[in-house]
Amino acid sequence: MRLKAISTVLPLVCFTLAGLSAYRCLAAKGVNCGQRQLSFLALIKSGKAANEGDWPWHTAVFKKDVGYICGGTIISENFILTAAHCTTYYRTLIPPDNFLVKLGLHNKSHPYDHTATHEIVEVIRHNDFNTENMKNDIALLRTEDDIVYSDYIQPICLWPQDRSSLNEVLSSSGYVIGWGLGDEDKPIDILQEATLSVVDRATCLKSKPLHFEKLLSENNSNFCAGNRNETNVCDGDSGGGMFFELGNAWYIRGLVSTGVRSKNSRHCDPQQFVLFTDIPYYLKWMHDHQQMAKKRNLLDLGNCGLDEHSLLTEEIDKPVFLQYPWTAMLEFKGDLSTTIHPFCNGALIHPQFVVTVGHCVDSNLKKYKLKSVRLGEYNQKTNPDVGKKINGKEVSTNIQSIDIEKVFKHPEFNKPRYDNNIALLKLKFPADIDRPNVKPICVPTLEDHNEQYVVSGWKRVGKESHVLTRDLTLLEDADTCREVYRKFNIHTSVNHICGTYFQEDIQQCFHFMSGAPMQYVKRVDQKNRYFLKGLFSFGFPGCMLNYTDVFTSIHKYTDWISKIVDQET
């Protein structure tokens, strides 16, 4: 830091769970946040080395193969708050297991005995983070183990919701800290601190109009601060917090986001204002993810979606056999025949529940009646199926065919047309999920955004349609998808997600059966797990390259799913 300021971090321990309007920091009510434990240390002076223990909530974020990259702030026993751009490296997402966070650190190069090091098991970037304009520049790092508080390690208080107006801090100076570049454009080992003045939007825009017109949000989700002298935050201070003392506790107001590049170097210009992510705007977002940590998968299943491969293993390099054991096949029988017809797919989300699309259970299928669900299938022409587990051991697997006890079609199915296309099937008895070929997939509590997804199931036609297969897909922009289907008088909604395939083999572009699950891998609770993203709903007829299919978004129906499962179990 050029005797400059840094960013902000928020403490999730400091708000209630009632509702956004009820958020308050609880420091005055006995919650131990924003407290310096070593009160005998000297007060902060602008532009100097910090006293050890003065900022016990500030953390150092490291990329294992690079070194120190950003600052962060402790907000609870499980979460570090930082900037979203600190979770990317040259615009490539940094995987959780490549992070290391050091707490209670004063000298970056020489940790003391009271310094604690934590691995990260989950990175939660804001879904709408934009690398072009740095909007929604906020992220949470979830630690593998609980953070243990000490004199040198403490959580910060969250900024009070009832004081969220920027007028509360205009013309006031907030404290910023970090190990960013110093006066000679060289990294600093000893933690630095400084004060920066918060300025209004007009002042910030006037200082450098073209620059800040692009970066400043209309929704007041960020703000500017700076002294326009040599005291400022700089490279390496990103992700740190801006802190104010309110009453008897310290609170975080902002996160260091981005500044202005110097004309004479590739580093920051300390004479310019710096942009901060405004914490009060993101209170609900942080609260939701704090709750998510307590219950990462909706139905609270400890064995759901397990993936034994490394996160570094490409999806296309994993075997299909036993890799997607929740992929289900819906079995129909004709009125005048006992022959089984597998017309649709689905996903096992609970030992006794399968989720599929609504049109697969609709009464319009007059000649056929849905009777049962087949689990553990791989090759429809062989039973048992024989293959190898990840450890190389050969295994023989049999299917389970279980009758359906109840069908729950969404009450708003096809209202409007093609919308709310989802249904739940309750099995007459629980599936045997101790078998390697029958396991439930996790249902997410909140919406996740990944770079790539995989769809598994059986194709409707094709020479290999009897064998379980998969295709990789990328999410299509919602507006683009909407325009594509509008030409066919089909209207997609917020309840839909669109996936575009990029296949080289023309034989592989046939459609999956309806209800085929779209999934993704995320590391949770020290394990790699698959989560259900969507169910194949409809697409273009025929075989086309680079085509876009429409999926029912599971996230939009989690409350409905949870309510039914709770009532029926």
Side-chain angles (χ1 to χ4, degrees):
M1 146 182 313
R2 290 179 174 281
L3 298 183
K4 314 169 183 184
I6 332 180
S7 66
T8 172
V9 179
L10 313 178
L12 301 182
V13 297
C14 291
F15 50 73
T16 64
L17 307 182
L20 187 59
S21 62
Y23 286 157
R24 300 287 190 277
C25 186
L26 304 179
K29 299 180 181 179
V31 173
N32 188 23
C33 66
Q35 301 293 318
R36 287 175 171 164
Q37 302 301 302
L38 303 179
S39 58
F40 60 87
L41 291 176
L43 295 177
I44 295 173
K45 302 293 182 181
S46 177
K48 71 175 185 65
N51 290 304
E52 188 174 6
D54 267 4
W55 308 103
W57 36 83
H58 188 69
T59 69
V61 180
F62 291 79
K63 187 174 183 286
K64 291 180 179 178
D65 55 352
V66 172
Y68 171 80
I69 55 173
C70 279
T73 303
I74 302 170
I75 58 173
S76 75
E77 293 179 340
N78 299 105
F79 278 111
I80 306 295
L81 186 64
T82 191
H85 77 263
C86 291
T87 66
T88 66
Y89 196 69
Y90 291 102
R91 299 198 175 187
T92 299
L93 300 181
I94 303 174
D97 57 3
N98 200 12
F99 278 105
L100 205 63
V101 178
K102 294 186 179 181
L103 287 57
L105 190 65
H106 183 67
N107 186 324
K108 181 160 55 71
S109 299
H110 299 284
Y112 300 133
D113 291 342
H114 53 254
T115 300
T117 301
H118 284 265
E119 299 277 348
I120 298 300
V121 295
E122 187 171 13
V123 178
I124 305 171
R125 304 168 189 87
H126 195 284
N127 295 338
D128 297 323
F129 169 58
N130 188 323
T131 58
E132 297 300 323
N133 57 28
M134 302 301 286
K135 292 177 181 177
N136 302 300
D137 192 9
I138 187 171
L140 293 169
L141 306 179
R142 185 182 176 193
T143 58
E144 183 173 17
D145 302 309
D146 289 350
I147 295 171
V148 178
Y149 299 142
S150 69
D151 288 344
Y152 299 92
I153 300 173
Q154 290 288 316
I156 189 66
C157 287
L158 187 65
W159 193 266
Q161 177 66 31
D162 57 0
R163 299 183 64 173
S164 61
S165 171
L166 196 63
N167 291 332
E168 292 282 343
V169 293
L170 276 181
S171 302
S172 298
S173 294
Y175 287 88
V176 291
I177 49 179
W179 293 278
L181 296 182
D183 295 336
E184 299 178 359
D185 286 342
K186 295 180 180 179
I188 294 176
D189 281 341
I190 302 298
L191 186 64
Q192 302 291 300
E193 62 185 32
T195 58
L196 295 184
S197 296
V198 179
V199 299
D200 59 35
R201 181 184 181 87
T203 301
C204 190
L205 286 172
K206 185 178 179 180
S207 71
K208 205 169 181 62
L210 293 179
H211 182 80
F212 286 111
E213 279 178 5
K214 178 181 179 181
L215 300 178
L216 273 172
S217 298
E218 294 291 339
N219 58 12
N220 298 318
S221 59
N222 55 18
F223 65 87
C224 285
N227 302 329
R228 305 208 71 181
N229 58 19
E230 289 299 321
T231 298
N232 210 338
V233 289
C234 197
D235 304 30
D237 292 325
S238 292
M242 173 178 277
F243 308 106
F244 291 83
E245 189 174 20
L246 303 179
N248 65 343
W250 287 90
Y251 293 73
I252 185 168
R253 176 68 200 221
L255 287 173
V256 177
S257 179
T258 185
V260 178
R261 190 180 301 279
S262 172
K263 296 180 180 179
N264 302 319
S265 75
R266 60 187 181 88
H267 301 301
C268 65
D269 184 348
Q271 301 284 347
Q272 302 291 339
F273 291 123
V274 172
L275 206 65
F276 288 77
T277 301
D278 198 15
I279 294 304
Y281 186 84
Y282 296 96
L283 292 177
K284 186 178 186 304
W285 180 84
M286 289 185 288
H287 169 261
D288 287 345
H289 286 85
Q290 173 88 339
Q291 292 303 99
M292 180 192 67
K294 298 177 181 177
K295 189 177 181 181
R296 188 59 185 85
N297 60 79
L298 183 71
L299 303 180
D300 205 22
L301 301 177
N303 63 343
C304 67
L306 293 176
D307 178 20
E308 297 181 25
H309 294 87
S310 164
L311 275 180
L312 299 178
T313 303
E314 296 290 342
E315 195 69 26
I316 200 67
D317 294 330
K318 301 174 185 177
V320 177
F321 183 66
L322 300 183
Q323 191 62 28
Y324 314 102
W326 40 83
T327 308
M329 183 175 283
L330 276 56
E331 298 181 324
F332 296 77
K333 288 185 180 179
D335 292 339
L336 304 176
S337 172
T338 59
T339 303
I340 297 294
H341 300 276
F343 288 143
C344 290
N345 289 170
L348 186 71
I349 59 172
H350 179 279
Q352 209 166 350
F353 285 90
V354 169
V355 63
T356 187
V357 288
H359 70 257
C360 283
V361 304
D362 192 36
S363 57
N364 288 335
L365 290 171
K366 295 180 179 179
K367 294 184 179 181
Y368 299 93
K369 186 174 182 180
L370 179 59
K371 300 292 292 183
S372 54
V373 172
R374 188 187 309 175
L375 302 171
E377 182 64 281
Y378 173 67
N379 187 334
Q380 297 180 58
K381 294 183 178 181
T382 60
N383 190 31
D385 290 317
V386 178
K388 291 184 178 181
K389 301 176 72 173
I390 190 173
N391 59 9
K393 184 178 179 181
E394 188 173 280
V395 62
S396 176
T397 61
N398 293 92
I399 64 170
Q400 298 179 50
S401 183
I402 305 176
D403 286 346
I404 296 169
E405 180 178 304
K406 289 184 181 180
V407 174
F408 299 89
K409 185 168 61 176
H410 195 278
E412 298 298 317
F413 167 68
N414 220 24
K415 302 176 185 177
R417 192 180 182 197
Y418 301 112
D419 213 344
N420 301 306
N421 192 12
I422 190 170
L424 273 177
L425 309 177
K426 183 182 180 183
L427 307 180
K428 280 194 173 180
F429 55 85
D432 180 3
I433 59 174
D434 289 331
R435 303 185 188 183
N437 61 330
V438 180
K439 304 288 182 185
I441 190 172
C442 302
V443 179
T445 52
L446 291 175
E447 188 169 20
D448 288 320
H449 290 267
N450 278 42
E451 290 184 315
Q452 180 178 272
Y453 299 86
V454 59
V455 182
S456 62
W458 291 266
K459 297 293 181 80
R460 292 176 181 175
V461 293
K463 60 183 180 181
E464 295 295 323
S465 61
H466 58 284
V467 179
L468 180 71
T469 188
R470 60 155 175 243
D471 282 335
L472 304 184
T473 182
L474 302 177
L475 290 195
E476 186 60 80
D477 176 74
D479 291 336
T480 301
C481 183
R482 191 177 298 113
E483 289 302 317
V484 168
Y485 278 91
R486 185 174 292 168
K487 299 175 184 177
F488 299 89
N489 200 28
I490 296 174
H491 300 281
T492 59
S493 77
V494 295
N495 299 320
H496 294 124
I497 50 178
C498 298
T500 297
Y501 303 95
F502 297 92
Q503 302 289 346
E504 296 180 358
D505 184 355
I506 195 72
Q507 297 299 322
Q508 292 300 314
C509 72
F510 295 112
H511 282 304
F512 284 96
M513 291 183 183
S514 295
M518 173 194 283
Q519 56 246 307
Y520 60 95
V521 179
K522 195 174 185 72
R523 186 163 180 81
V524 175
D525 300 325
Q526 305 178 44
K527 296 178 181 178
N528 300 335
R529 296 180 184 271
Y530 281 96
F531 284 83
L532 186 60
K533 179 69 173 180
L535 300 166
F536 173 56
S537 183
F538 59 87
F540 290 114
C543 188
M544 301 166 57
L545 288 179
N546 298 350
Y547 61 101
T548 297
D549 278 344
V550 179
F551 295 77
T552 299
S553 174
I554 289 297
H555 167 67
K556 303 297 183 181
Y557 301 96
T558 52
D559 288 344
W560 179 75
I561 292 171
S562 180
K563 181 179 179 181
I564 291 175
V565 173
D566 287 345
Q567 289 175 346
E568 295 291 322
T569 54

